[in-house]
């Protein structure tokens, strides 16, 4: 049945009472509207609040609706029917932006404009979805009906309508019908396969890459000739040619302007290499959005979904996937009244239909847990349902054979294309390398990391910085304690080391002793509530154990060294200070803390050795499940006993060896993280000054070929220290020290930026006055008719501008969304922004990096000020190292700011027919920072009034043609 045939009237009939729907309430900014059997009409805020709080009423995202009405997020009730929940039931694991517009677009309808249209669309969406359930072709009707009955007993507001729609077609009568909640017992199991073996060394030549690209373009329905894309594919083949010597990988740094088509450009040689050599080519990204995009574009290689599922695998860390044991435990708790049974039921239904169980950026509706007011510990969220703490029991888990993580790991070993992320590639490669150095076999997840494409390569430096750093904090130490001892609070879920390994060690006295010693020693680590003991709001501290005493002393040093620049609550960014010179209390407590950590580390190492002995000595007796459990346990033990704990002890031990000179390779400092005016954690941190040193050693050097690509790799204004536009890229990717120099490639964008874009610097604003910033964004966004993205370098200013800007835009019916304000995570905010063509969005760098919004939904982008790097201790050390002279240090900062502005500009024009305006609201922005923008862009400096006129004329040209309006100052003289 087509969507069009499902959109008939939802008027109540005797034969279809489940189609009798209450009024639908839409509350876009500025006005509310309801739609009932009489039609749609606008209503005032008071009437909208009354309708919302008394019901019955249909809404889209109850919590967001409540926020717009100025009331508290509601709990579930029979009178409040969220159509998004209905969508999650009817179309599990299908995409939908969480708004009335998102629902309409997901159902194949046009975007509803205005409050009345949104209310109508909301009611129509509910009708469409219910009729879809009644369609004879609706799949797995019996399973859906079983779960609907369970939801009915739980009080779900949609239950009787859903059950009625499903019963519109015959449902078999059963004396005993299950709950439908047990997804863990109904998922297909994975099966082991013989090892694939080492990949071959057959080369990929340039001409073959061009031919493969042509075939991919035809499969995608694209027949236009794009010479730059073909050249890119041909050059990218270099990274897939065999290396001649160990330690001399083929590395290519390739900048491809927006619109080049670099994804298909590198998939062409990558897929050829995989076919010819029976190996997996890895593509690594920085953002989840790009992972999804690459996965979609792989359809050109393998149009059949079943084949593509085998050939292309999206790979993430374990903490991204649904843990079926966690789901089972939370479902059982909810059935006993301790949890959100409705949320768990919908999550269970999603699990049955999910492609791979990915809860963070996959096909799980991330907005689902936040629709209603539910305690965080009860929500069907990734925070509760994935394995975030390394507590997996591996083969001891009753769901091991259906585990999403195990399926994905095994699938990646057989795939031609593995789409991963920078963090996974780096941490896993470092871990595998450490195990190999000890003579142990690699983990298997990245053992085939021979050919790597780092897309979004401009983020490689930051990803390496995060992956190869160390942080001893209250929260990190408490996580380690929890991993060892299990949850110690009442009603906490989780499994400690004894629960995971006790039975495996039962017959080995030495292993049992080491296990018990480690658990006993872990009592010296911080426990739950550590932040309240080391940084109480009242100022009274009550540290327990040597680690907490060290953190209290560290906080005292922080306050002593930063009191002039920080508020008592730590300010917006918290506090930080140099570690040296160290105060006596920090030095004394550091020694005690190091001893406590050593007391945990020693028995963990002993336990690891005993488990390795068991694998060796009892190889003939161990069954496959026991072996898998021990190998899984060894991975967790190695990470903590051979990487985390030694790193912490090394930082503490360095305090006793104070030579007066800073370490040439590392930056050590103390920090305190703040939120809502109070400090919630204190940390000792260590970062590499140049994190590409471990990146090169762990990832680049062991590989055979690496392609680092991005739209913003080169720096067009190299200084005396960096004479080549790619020198900064070499420095920030780890390729500067390679024996065989990296090749470079720069392919310009095919877009006509001179015709399709404008770049404006507004020069008559005071950037520190948030009122002026808000007024400027208001006028610019109104001139564009919406479609505006405001980027901020500080959350505080973002919130201040939002408070002023929101009501002003609402008066004209333009919705405004904001990161750190709206009850939606970044991905969902971008989805709504993309779905609503005239909405506006405010965000920080996370939004800048995650936005992929082609078309009119993004047509003006405004920076509140120059995105200079924050001058913290780590950045200062790097500026000193990489900048050299005073001019070099300035140019180092310039290069980073230029790159950020170029990345933001690249979000603006995504297709050949896009038009967009880039606005900088900082009059002091130097012209040299715009050098990284594509050729053809011209920077125009003007006052706000003139900028508003230009934006309006450019984005909304007059019917007679031309942009109209007054000349800009760049046109004068």
């Amino acid at each position: 049945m087509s969507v069009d045939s499902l959109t008939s009237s939802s008027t109540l009939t005797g034969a279809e009472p489940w189609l009798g729907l209450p009024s639908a309430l839409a509350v876009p900014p500025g006005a509310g509207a309801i739609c009932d059997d009489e039609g749609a009409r606008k209503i005032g805020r008071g009437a909208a609040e009354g309708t919302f709080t008394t019901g019955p009423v249909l809404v889209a995202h109850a919590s967001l609706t409540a926020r717009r009405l100025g009331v508290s997020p509601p709990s579930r009730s029979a009178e409040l029917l969220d159509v998004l929940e209905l969508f999650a039931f009817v179309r599990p694991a299908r995409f939908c932006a969480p708004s009335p517009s998102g629902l309409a677009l997901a159902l194949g309808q046009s975007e509803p404009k205005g409050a009345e249209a949104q209310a109508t669309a909301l009611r129509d969406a509910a009708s469409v979805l219910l009729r879809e359930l009644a369609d004879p072709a609706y799949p797995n009707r019996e399973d859906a009906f079983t779960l609907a009955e369970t939801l009915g007993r739980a009080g779900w507001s949609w239950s009787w309508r859903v059950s009625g729609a499903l019963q519109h077609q015959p449902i078999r009568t059963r004396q005993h019908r299950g709950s439908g909640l047990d997804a863990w017992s109904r998922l297909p199991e994975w099966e082991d396969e013989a090892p694939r073996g080492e990949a071959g060394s057959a080369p990929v030549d340039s001409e073959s890459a061009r031919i493969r690209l042509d075939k991919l373009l035809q499969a995608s329905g694209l027949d236009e000739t794009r010479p730059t894309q073909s050249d890119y594919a041909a050059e990218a083949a270099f990274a897939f040619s065999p290396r001649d010597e160990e330690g001399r990988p083929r590395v290519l740094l390739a900048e491809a302007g927006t619109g080049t088509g670099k994804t298909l450009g590198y998939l062409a040689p990558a897929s050829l290499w995989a076919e010819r050599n029976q190996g997996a080519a890895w593509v690594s990204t920085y953002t989840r959005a790009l992972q999804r995009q690459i996965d979609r574009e792989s359809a050109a290689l393998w149009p059949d979904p079943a084949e593509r599922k085998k050939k292309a695998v999206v790979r993430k860390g374990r903490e991204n996937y649904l843990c079926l044991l966690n789901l089972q435990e939370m479902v059982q708790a909810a059935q006993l009244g301790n949890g959100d049974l409705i949320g768990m039921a919908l999550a269970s239904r999603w699990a049955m239909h999910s492609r791979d169980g990915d809860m963070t950026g996959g096909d799980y509706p991330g907005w689902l847990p936040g629709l209603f007011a539910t305690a965080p510990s009860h929500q069907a969220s990734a925070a509760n349902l994935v394995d975030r703490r390394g507590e997996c029991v591996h083969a001891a888990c009753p769901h091991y054979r259906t585990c999403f993580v195990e399926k994905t790991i095994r699938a990646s070993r057989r795939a031609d294309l593995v789409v991963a992320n920078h963090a996974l590639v780096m941490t896993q490669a470092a871990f595998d390398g450490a195990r190999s150095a000890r003579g142990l076999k690699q983990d298997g997840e990245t053992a085939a990391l021979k050919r790597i494409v780092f897309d979004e390569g401009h983020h490689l430096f930051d990803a390496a910085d995060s992956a190869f750093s160390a942080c001893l904090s209250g929260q990190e130490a408490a996580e380690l304690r929890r991993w060892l001892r299990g949850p110690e609070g009442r009603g906490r879920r989780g499994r400690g080391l004894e629960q995971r390994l006790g039975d495996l060690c039962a017959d080995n006295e030495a292993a049992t002793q080491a296990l018990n010693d480690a658990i006993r020693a872990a009592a010296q680590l911080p426990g739950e509530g550590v932040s309240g003991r080391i940084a109480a709001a009242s100022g009274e501290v009550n540290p327990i154990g040597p680690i907490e005493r060290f953190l209290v002393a560290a906080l005292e040093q922080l306050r002593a060294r930063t009191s002039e620049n920080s508020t008592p609550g730590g300010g917006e960014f918290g506090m930080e200070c140099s570690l040296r010179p160290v105060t006596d209390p920090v030095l004394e407590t550091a020694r005690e803390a190091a001893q406590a950590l050593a007391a945990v580390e020693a028995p963990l190492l002993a336990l690891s050795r005993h488990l390795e002995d068991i694998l060796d000595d009892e190889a003939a007796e161990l069954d496959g499940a026991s072996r898998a459990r021990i190998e899984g346990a060894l991975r967790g033990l190695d990470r903590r006993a051979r990487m985390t704990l030694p790193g912490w002890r090394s930082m503490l031990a360095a305090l006793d060896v104070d030579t007066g000179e800073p370490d040439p390779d590392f930056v050590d400092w103390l920090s305190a993280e703040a939120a809502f005016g109070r400090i919630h954690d204190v940390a000792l941190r260590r970062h590499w000054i140049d994190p590409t040193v471990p990146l090169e050693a762990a990832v680049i050097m062991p590989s055979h070929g690496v392609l680092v690509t991005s739209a913003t790799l080169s720096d067009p204004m190299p200084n005396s220290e960096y004479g080549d536009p790619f020198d900064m890229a070499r420095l920030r990717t780890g390729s500067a020290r390679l024996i065989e120099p990296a090749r470079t490639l720069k392919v310009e964008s095919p877009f006509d930026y001179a015709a399709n874009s404008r770049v404006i610097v507004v020069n008559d604003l005071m950037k520190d006055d948030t009122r002026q910033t808000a007024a400027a964004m208001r006028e610019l966004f109104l001139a564009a008719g919406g479609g505006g993205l405001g980027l901020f370098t500080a959350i505080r200013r973002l919130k201040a501008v939002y408070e002023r800007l929101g009501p002003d835009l609402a008066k004209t019916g333009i919705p405004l969304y904001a990161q750190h304000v709206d009850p939606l995570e970044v991905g969902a905010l971008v989805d709504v922004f993309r779905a609503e063509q005239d909405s506006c969005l405010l965000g920080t760098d996370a939004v800048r990096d995650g936005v992929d919004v082609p078309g009119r939904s993004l047509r003006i982008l405004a920076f509140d000020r120059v995105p200079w790097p924050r001058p913290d201790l780590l950045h200062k050390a790097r500026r000193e190292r990489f900048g050299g002279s005073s001019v070099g240090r300035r140019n180092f900062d310039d290069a980073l700011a230029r790159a950020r502005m170029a990345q933001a500009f690249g979000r603006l024009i995504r297709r050949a027919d896009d038009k967009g305006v880039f606005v900088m609201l900082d009059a002091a922005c130097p012209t040299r920072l715009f050098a990284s923008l594509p050729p053809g862009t011209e920077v125009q400096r003007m006052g706000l009034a003139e900028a508003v006129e230009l934006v309006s004329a450019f984005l909304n040209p007059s019917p007679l043609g031309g942009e109209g309006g007054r000349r800009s100052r760049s046109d004068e003289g």
Side-chain angles (χ1 to χ4, degrees), residues 407-454:
K407 287 179 182 176
T408 306
I409 291 173
R410 283 161 175 77
S412 68
R413 293 172 182 167
R414 307 292 303 179
D416 283 5
L417 180 70
V418 179
V419 185
N421 55 66
H422 297 350
L424 172 70
V425 168
M426 291 179 197
T427 55
Q428 194 62 43
F431 179 66
D432 280 350
R435 287 177 65 83
S436 295
R438 295 174 49 231
L440 300 175
K441 72 173 185 178
Q442 291 189 355
D443 182 87
E445 293 187 39
T446 56
L449 261 180
K450 304 303 180 189
R451 306 288 174 172
I452 315 171
V453 176
F454 284 110

Side-chain angles (χ1 to χ4, degrees), residues 399 544 712 723 820 878:
H399 314 310
I544 300 175
T712 54
H820 304 294
R878 287 173 176 160

Side-chain angles (χ1 to χ4, degrees), residues 255 258 286-287 456-462 709-714 732 753 789 791 844-852 858 861 863 867 894-910 918 929 932-934:
E255 177 174 293
T258 304
Y286 189 71
T287 61
E456 298 180 304
H458 57 276
H459 284 300
L460 209 51
F461 188 93
D462 294 330
T709 188
S710 168
T712 54
L713 271 187
S714 67
R732 292 178 64 82
Y753 289 101
L789 175 62
L791 293 177
T844 58
D845 53 357
V847 171
R848 179 195 71 214
D849 295 332
V851 168
D852 182 22
L858 174 53
L861 184 151
F863 262 110
D894 283 359
L896 296 181
R898 268 196 297 271
R900 292 173 182 175
M901 290 167 60
Q903 291 152 25
F905 184 88
R907 305 294 95 190
L908 191 60
I909 306 292
R910 308 297 291 170
F918 181 100
L929 296 187
S932 58
L933 301 190

Side-chain angles (χ1 to χ4, degrees), residues 240-475:
F240 297 93
S241 58
R243 66 181 183 181
D244 295 329
E245 294 181 32
E246 184 180 7
R248 302 185 70 162
R250 307 286 194 178
V251 178
L252 174 66
L253 307 180
E255 177 174 293
T258 304
T260 302
K262 62 178 167 52
T263 303
L264 288 181
Y266 60 65
L267 286 182
S271 60
L272 271 175
W273 179 87
E275 288 177 13
R276 293 178 179 179
N277 295 286
Q278 298 300 300
W282 283 61
V283 177
S284 178
T285 76
Y286 189 71
T287 61
R288 296 165 181 164
L290 185 56
Q291 273 188 295
R292 293 197 298 268
Q293 178 187 324
I294 295 169
D295 182 45
R296 287 194 301 268
E297 295 206 33
S298 69
L301 284 163
W302 304 288
D304 177 47
E307 183 185 16
R308 186 165 72 253
K309 187 174 182 180
K310 293 180 180 180
K311 294 287 190 178
V313 174
V314 176
R315 185 72 184 90
K316 297 183 180 181
R318 184 175 292 270
E319 67 280 0
N320 292 278
Y321 298 94
L322 173 69
C323 170
L324 293 171
L325 188 56
N326 281 348
L327 176 65
Q328 181 184 17
E329 291 178 352
M330 291 202 71
V331 164
Q332 291 172 344
Q335 287 177 307
L336 296 174
N338 186 28
D340 175 20
L341 185 58
I342 294 171
M344 292 303 153
L346 293 173
S348 184
R349 180 159 172 76
W350 162 79
M352 288 299 302
H353 295 81
S354 175
R355 170 180 168 176
D356 55 9
D358 181 2
M359 296 193 74
T360 61
D363 52 20
Y364 185 72
W367 39 259
L368 186 60
L371 296 182
F372 296 95
T374 306
S377 60
H378 291 165
Q379 290 180 353
S381 62
N384 293 322
L385 292 175
V386 303
D387 174 27
R388 286 191 180 279
R389 301 183 174 93
E391 295 173 345
C392 179
V393 295
H394 299 280
C397 177
H399 314 310
Y400 182 65
R401 300 288 303 186
T402 55
C403 175
F404 285 115
V405 177
E406 296 296 329
K407 287 179 182 176
T408 306
I409 291 173
R410 283 161 175 77
S412 68
R413 293 172 182 167
R414 307 292 303 179
D416 283 5
L417 180 70
V418 179
V419 185
N421 55 66
H422 297 350
L424 172 70
V425 168
M426 291 179 197
T427 55
Q428 194 62 43
F431 179 66
D432 280 350
R435 287 177 65 83
S436 295
R438 295 174 49 231
L440 300 175
K441 72 173 185 178
Q442 291 189 355
D443 182 87
E445 293 187 39
T446 56
L449 261 180
K450 304 303 180 189
R451 306 288 174 172
I452 315 171
V453 176
F454 284 110
D455 204 337
E456 298 180 304
H458 57 276
H459 284 300
L460 209 51
F461 188 93
D462 294 330
D465 184 37
S466 177
F468 299 110
S469 60
C471 171
L472 171 56
S473 70
Q475 296 299 330

Side-chain angles (χ1 to χ4, degrees), residues 395-685:
C397 177
H399 314 310
Y400 182 65
R401 300 288 303 186
T402 55
C403 175
F404 285 115
V405 177
E406 296 296 329
K407 287 179 182 176
T408 306
I409 291 173
R410 283 161 175 77
S412 68
R413 293 172 182 167
R414 307 292 303 179
D416 283 5
L417 180 70
V418 179
V419 185
N421 55 66
H422 297 350
L424 172 70
V425 168
M426 291 179 197
T427 55
Q428 194 62 43
F431 179 66
D432 280 350
R435 287 177 65 83
S436 295
R438 295 174 49 231
L440 300 175
K441 72 173 185 178
Q442 291 189 355
D443 182 87
E445 293 187 39
T446 56
L449 261 180
K450 304 303 180 189
R451 306 288 174 172
I452 315 171
V453 176
F454 284 110
D455 204 337
E456 298 180 304
H458 57 276
H459 284 300
L460 209 51
F461 188 93
D462 294 330
D465 184 37
S466 177
F468 299 110
S469 60
C471 171
L472 171 56
S473 70
Q475 296 299 330
E476 291 288 335
E479 282 293 313
L480 177 59
R481 174 175 174 144
R482 192 181 193 280
W483 183 81
L484 288 164
R485 296 175 64 90
E488 297 171 288
R490 294 182 59 187
R492 300 282 185 172
R493 295 180 307 104
R495 296 163 290 280
L497 200 58
E498 186 173 15
Q499 290 174 282
R500 301 197 298 276
L501 296 179
D503 60 321
L504 290 174
C505 301
D507 296 330
N508 187 309
E509 184 177 345
T512 301
Q513 183 63 49
L515 174 63
N516 292 335
D517 289 347
I519 294 171
R520 190 179 307 111
Q524 294 295 301
L525 298 174
E528 294 180 15
V530 56
S531 62
R533 293 190 295 274
I534 65 175
S538 63
E540 297 180 6
V541 295
N542 182 31
I544 300 175
I547 308 297
E548 292 189 15
R549 287 194 289 272
F550 166 73
L551 295 175
V552 167
L555 183 57
E556 290 174 354
Q557 178 172 324
L558 272 163
R559 285 173 169 152
R561 305 275 168 83
T562 60
S563 58
E564 294 182 1
N565 301 315
S566 301
T567 64
E572 182 176 359
F573 297 108
M575 296 184 290
E576 66 172 27
C577 75
S578 297
L579 185 57
R580 296 178 175 83
V582 184
T583 63
D584 289 339
V586 168
L587 185 59
E588 293 168 4
T589 55
R591 293 171 182 146
E592 298 175 6
Q595 292 173 359
L597 295 176
V600 177
E601 182 183 333
L604 287 181
L605 288 171
L607 177 60
S608 181
R609 289 191 293 269
H610 292 314
L611 290 177
E612 289 171 356
D613 291 342
I614 292 174
L615 280 179
D616 188 19
D617 298 340
E618 302 178 20
E621 293 83 16
L622 283 175
D623 57 38
S626 296
R627 175 173 292 278
R629 285 182 62 193
I630 293 174
E631 290 176 345
L634 283 172
R635 288 195 291 270
L637 287 168
D638 277 358
R639 288 184 188 279
R640 291 159 180 84
R642 301 185 191 276
M643 298 176 76
T644 301
L645 283 166
W648 289 354
R649 286 199 305 105
S650 175
M651 288 191 291
L652 293 169
L655 299 182
D656 258 337
V657 190
D658 193 348
T659 63
E661 294 294 327
D663 191 302
D665 294 322
F666 298 100
V667 179
D668 294 346
W669 76 97
L670 300 174
S671 70
E673 296 181 8
F676 305 109
R678 64 179 295 269
I679 293 170
H680 63 84
D681 203 5
V682 181
L684 169 61
R685 298 181 180 274

